[in-house]
Amino acid sequence: MKNHKPYLLAFGFFWMSVINSAFATNPLIMDQFTADPTARVFEGRVYVYPSHDIPASPGRGRSNWFVMEDYHVFSSENLTDWTDHGVIINQTNVPWLERMSFNMWAPDCVFKNGKYYFYFPTGGRIGVAIADKPYGPFKPEEKPMAGARGIDPGLLIDKDGSAYMFWAGGRISGAKLKDNMVELDSPPRMITNLPTAGLIEGPFPFERNGIYYLTYPHAQVKTERLEYAISTNALGPYHQAGVILDEAASGCWTVHQSIVQYKGQWYLFYHDKDLSPDFDKNRSIRADYMYFNEDGTIKKVIPTLRGVGIVDAKSKIQISRYSAISGEGVSVSFLDATNKFEGWKISYNGTNAWSQFNDVDFGGKDLHSVDVRAVSAAGGRVEIRLDKVDGPLLARVEVGSGSEWKVVTSKLDSVPAGVHNLVVVQKENNSVDLNWIGFK
Ligand code: FUB
């Protein structure tokens, strides 16, 4: 499932690139914990700059808390296949950092004057590292930014090229940056009219059709939800405009967002704790489609397992990351509870339990059979249908009884083409578990 190709470049420290064949669903990255994703479009691709949660270990971070020592950057052209470009900054490479405190928190990266500027908060200060390419190598500045103390820098390059930085520290502040991008050009201004009770952090600004949006996680009750405020000016005054994403059903304490338009579609990037359900300081990044109302307000995003992008029918389609399921008879659980990075299985219990997985690209009419990785103690049969529960039959898959996973190959009844939704329907009154489906 994972194809690792390391390259080494020297730039005062090792820089490594790894190709990560992810699941193409939520969460986006399946071989490490990731959080606080800032997505940006650079050079025709989406680059995501997340934080990197790691488990604490003796002498390395505080147990039961966030532990982060470095940043990776990931990129994708189709939002389905993600490349891990490796570590771009490690806390040991930051010249001004006196103590290794494992708190490399939520970063951002913007492009200006032909350079990529990576902003990262650590030790209560905000550092900047500069590169010629979006994936580095990044060279950290000798000193942190003067005048900005706090966490979670969020940058805005305005239509006239002016740069603004927002950050959190109790409340949210913002300031214009000098053209050199490493100094404040105005005293920090506290952004008013935002919630005054409950934790507020993670400012992410953007502009669309003359409206300035300031989005931020806010613990209105106990855990964070995503809210936003709007203005006609980059630095405000803003007024609160609504909720983009409700508190996570999983109970994850934090959420942290970025919003990006790519090839005409808007996306919300955020995080939850998919790969660490019992510990919400080991998080995983996600993406879902986002839409605006006519008046420029943002439609609430309903988080999905399916995520975004189109999946190749010939890949190992992670059928457990469903778009929809029947009211009863379907459940999802980890394949291996001792190694959650292995992903999930989907279980169908009882006749007519079904699940739907949207946006599969079947290409031209060149497919003839389907492989299904499955297990069924008593044996069972599922049907794979196109677009809906009673849509055209693609294949009947007989899963023999047994306790071991096996790959069952079945001939296609009809040969699809183009992009369709995939529906799996259980046809017998027993139980079948599926891991992935792949057409060939
Ligand atoms: O990742 C550490 C902190 O958790 C971030 O800085 C906050 O935004 C929250 O996501």
Side-chain angles (χ1 to χ4, degrees), residues 35-36 51 66 68 105-106 151-152 201-202 254-256 271 283:
D36 308 325
S51 316
F66 304 105
M68 297 122 119
W105 285 17
I151 60 168
D152 298 354
E201 52 183 354
T254 63
V255 65
H256 187 112
H271 69 229
R283 299 155 296 176

Side-chain angles (χ1 to χ4, degrees), residues 158-369:
D158 206 353
K159 288 167 292 185
D160 65 358
S162 306
Y164 297 88
M165 185 174 80
F166 296 80
W167 65 95
R171 312 258 51 93
I172 289 178
S173 302
K176 191 166 188 236
L177 297 188
K178 287 191 178 164
D179 200 46
N180 65 16
M181 297 296 278
V182 298
E183 288 177 280
L184 303 190
D185 195 29
S186 63
R189 178 190 295 188
M190 205 222 275
I191 306 299
T192 53
N193 301 334
L194 302 183
T196 49
L199 178 64
I200 177 168
E201 52 183 354
F204 181 84
F206 68 99
E207 184 272 341
R208 175 182 178 269
N209 295 343
I211 301 178
Y212 292 83
Y213 296 79
L214 184 61
T215 66
Y216 48 88
H218 172 224
Q220 165 76 14
V221 183
K222 197 165 160 219
T223 59
E224 291 178 343
R225 66 183 190 183
L226 287 181
E227 301 175 12
Y228 72 108
I230 55 178
S231 177
T232 48
N233 291 292
L235 287 175
Y238 281 90
H239 67 266
Q240 295 175 46
V243 174
I244 304 171
L245 189 73
D246 283 329
E247 291 87 347
S250 68
C252 189
W253 172 37
T254 63
V255 65
H256 187 112
Q257 78 296 354
S258 60
I259 289 166
V260 72
Q261 187 184 29
Y262 182 57
K263 297 184 178 171
Q265 171 67 50
W266 288 87
Y267 297 90
L268 172 70
F269 285 74
Y270 61 103
H271 69 229
D272 203 326
K273 54 170 183 161
D274 301 73
L275 293 170
S276 172
D278 301 326
F279 183 52
D280 63 5
K281 314 295 178 300
N282 283 173
R283 299 155 296 176
S284 293
I285 61 171
R286 295 166 143 246
D288 275 300
Y289 298 109
M290 198 185 94
Y291 300 93
F292 290 85
N293 294 306
E294 290 262 306
D295 63 0
T297 53
I298 298 174
K299 294 190 184 193
K300 217 181 232 189
V301 174
I302 307 298
T304 71
L305 297 178
R306 172 63 187 86
V308 299
I310 291 172
V311 167
D312 187 344
K314 293 176 184 160
S315 67
K316 289 179 176 165
I317 303 167
Q318 301 297 311
I319 200 76
S320 66
R321 315 322 283 159
Y322 59 76
S323 306
I325 49 174
S326 50
E328 50 189 30
V330 179
S331 58
V332 168
S333 52
F334 284 106
L335 271 177
D336 176 355
T338 64
N339 181 10
K340 300 190 171 63
F341 293 106
E342 287 295 312
W344 295 266
K345 63 184 176 189
I346 186 164
S347 307
Y348 304 86
N349 292 295
T351 317
N352 291 333
W354 60 265
S355 71
Q356 179 171 323
F357 184 102
N358 288 353
D359 295 334
V360 177
D361 186 359
F362 291 92
K365 283 193 165 280
D366 62 341
L367 301 167
H368 51 81
S369 58

